[in-house]
Amino acid sequence: MKLRQYLQSLGYGTRREVEALVAEGRITDAEREALYVDDEVGEGAPSRGGHRLPHAAIRFDGEVLDAPPGLLAVLHKPVGVTCSTKDPGRLVYDLLPPRWKARDPIVSPVGRLDKDTSGLLLFTDDGQLLHRLTSPKYHQPKVYRATLAEDLRGNEAALFAAGTLMLEGEHKPLLPAEFEVLGPREARLTLHEGRYHQVRRMFAATGNAVATLHREAIGGLTLEALGLAEGAWRMLTASERAALSASA
Ligand code: URA
């Protein structure tokens, strides 16, 4: 791929903007030598003589580029931000590097969390990985902690484990889910599928209402082990990626 196209795909600007950055000498190699829009980018022979620049050799204003394609990041989503690129109000993208939503392919959330739900949210620009992480076939259990508006009814564990619970407006019963009581109005719920507003609708089916909802874990990844403060994000390490695939 040509450097022009590569920088565009990473969100550094339109064709013209990228050409301007290159013309201004702001795109260089590690030795601060200016690069050209037609230089070839790709892993392989690292020498410029061979005209194949590995990602790691390219600099923008002296800084290494944003993550190469195939990124997988995790955000501790706070309450009050939306999983969208353009809703009014605060967006998850406001918490991520600004170029991520200009990338092609875009960096997308892996599934969604409601505006009023906090917790672990993955992001990737890799379509295959996105499919794998959301497909029921590769199943990733999702763990939620909920506080309720009223005391638990006492029948939730049996109801949610039954595999017969039908949500309003749906035709297929929910898969069995694990339920753990944490307090009179607090519980942990592990889901094996992801339907629209699923946790809120499951508690609504018991005549209760969710007051707060937080996703603690996806597969083998827990927010606690990741140690991320609310609103913070980071790339997953190779071993964290492996923990996720191992749990699939
Ligand atoms: N269930 C919900 O109701 N909301 C979420 O954000 C996730 C699961």
Side-chain angles (χ1 to χ4, degrees):
M1 188 186 289
K2 302 282 187 212
L3 181 62
R4 174 203 298 116
Q5 200 186 348
Y6 190 63
L7 292 173
Q8 273 182 257
S9 76
L10 294 182
Y12 282 83
T14 60
R15 182 187 172 112
R16 278 182 177 218
E17 287 164 346
V18 162
E19 282 174 352
L21 291 179
V22 174
E24 288 159 14
R26 297 173 69 187
I27 308 292
T28 66
D29 66 12
E31 283 76 44
R32 297 272 181 154
E33 267 226 49
L35 297 174
Y36 300 93
V37 282
D38 288 332
D39 281 339
E40 280 288 333
V41 181
E43 300 309 313
S47 80
R48 283 202 59 209
H51 288 111
R52 278 177 71 81
L53 293 153
H55 178 95
I58 307 169
R59 302 286 183 273
F60 167 54
D61 285 345
E63 303 277 332
V64 290
L65 295 183
D66 293 345
L71 71 81
L72 181 58
V74 57
L75 169 73
H76 182 164
K77 179 193 172 297
V79 164
V81 300
T82 313
C83 292
S84 151
T85 49
K86 48 180 181 287
D87 276 6
R90 289 177 71 214
L91 309 176
V92 283
Y93 287 101
D94 299 336
L95 300 166
L96 298 170
R99 278 186 289 263
W100 280 16
K101 69 169 189 277
R103 284 169 74 123
D104 180 17
I106 189 174
V107 180
S108 320
V110 178
R112 283 170 176 239
L113 289 178
D114 302 336
K115 185 174 181 184
D116 295 329
T117 302
S118 60
L120 196 164
L121 184 60
L122 296 171
F123 283 84
T124 186
D125 60 343
D126 179 334
Q128 271 186 355
L129 185 60
L130 182 67
H131 173 72
R132 202 143 47 77
L133 291 171
T134 48
S135 158
K137 223 167 66 192
Y138 294 95
H139 173 58
Q140 298 282 347
K142 295 179 187 74
V143 184
Y144 295 89
R145 195 177 177 121
T147 60
L148 288 310
E150 296 174 16
D151 285 357
L152 292 166
R153 310 304 193 212
N155 64 344
E156 290 89 349
L159 189 66
F160 296 162
T164 53
L165 180 61
M166 197 79 89
L167 293 179
E168 223 175 280
E170 297 202 358
H171 306 290
K172 210 174 138 200
L174 293 179
L175 291 175
E178 291 91 62
F179 181 79
E180 185 189 347
V181 176
L182 301 173
R185 293 186 180 195
E186 192 168 12
R188 180 175 288 127
L189 191 54
T190 303
L191 302 187
H192 302 277
E193 60 192 330
R195 302 204 198 173
Y196 181 67
H197 287 180
Q198 186 169 341
V199 176
R200 293 174 201 278
R201 291 163 76 208
M202 286 170 77
F203 282 104
T206 72
N208 210 334
V210 166
T212 68
L213 186 59
H214 177 78
R215 182 154 71 194
E216 294 182 322
I218 297 182
L221 272 188
T222 68
L223 207 44
E224 194 178 10
L226 288 163
L228 276 182
E230 219 177 52
W233 71 273
R234 70 168 168 81
M235 294 295 176
L236 288 191
T237 63
S239 62
E240 287 161 354
R241 275 183 177 234
L244 205 51
S245 338
S247 61

